[in-house]
Amino acid sequence: MQRRLNFKEASPEALKAMIGLESYLSKISISKTAKELIKIRASQLKGCAYCINIHTSDAIKNGENPQRIFLLGAWREAGDIFTGEEKAVLALTEEITLIHQRGLTDETYTEALGFFSETQIGDIITAVITINLWNRVVLSTRLAIGESLA
């Protein structure tokens, strides 16, 4: 596939705003592990190889066990590999990424409240929305693995 456009040149202010979201997310109280799980799982659901490549590598650099990454697509069936908190994050990630299917269900939201404050849930929602934004830019522009967006 041929790259369609250079997003940085075509939409520099949009890219700046996206980087601003990443800056905000770097300061939230959600763990690095949870943030990477969000990024990987949403990217898997959207079929974004570019983002899967970056975020699996980042997760491993941050100490994530590769087995957990391998099992991420089947996290519900993976037993105790993922904590209750991580399962809540993953459920939020899937329902928000696939919002057109059922929306964010009351059951998932209530489960998340058992682990997170409303502020933290808002931050998780922002993290999910942000990676979905990156996925859409990468897929729309046909950015190849190894190329730079910024």
Side-chain angles (χ1 to χ4, degrees), residues 50 53-54 143-149:
Y50 182 93
N53 183 58
I54 288 173
L143 192 66
I145 292 174
E147 289 184 312
S148 175
L149 179 63

Side-chain angles (χ1 to χ4, degrees), residues 129-148:
I129 291 167
T130 301
I131 189 59
N132 274 275
L133 176 61
W134 288 110
N135 292 161
R136 284 167 168 77
V137 168
V138 168
L139 291 168
S140 297
T141 62
R142 295 183 175 166
L143 192 66
I145 292 174
E147 289 184 312
S148 175

Side-chain angles (χ1 to χ4, degrees), residues 26-45:
S26 73
K27 299 171 187 150
I28 64 174
S29 66
I30 307 305
S31 71
K32 282 185 178 183
T33 297
K35 287 186 245 184
E36 290 302 332
L37 292 176
I38 290 167
K39 291 174 182 179
I40 296 166
R41 187 64 187 130
S43 298
Q44 288 174 333
L45 293 168

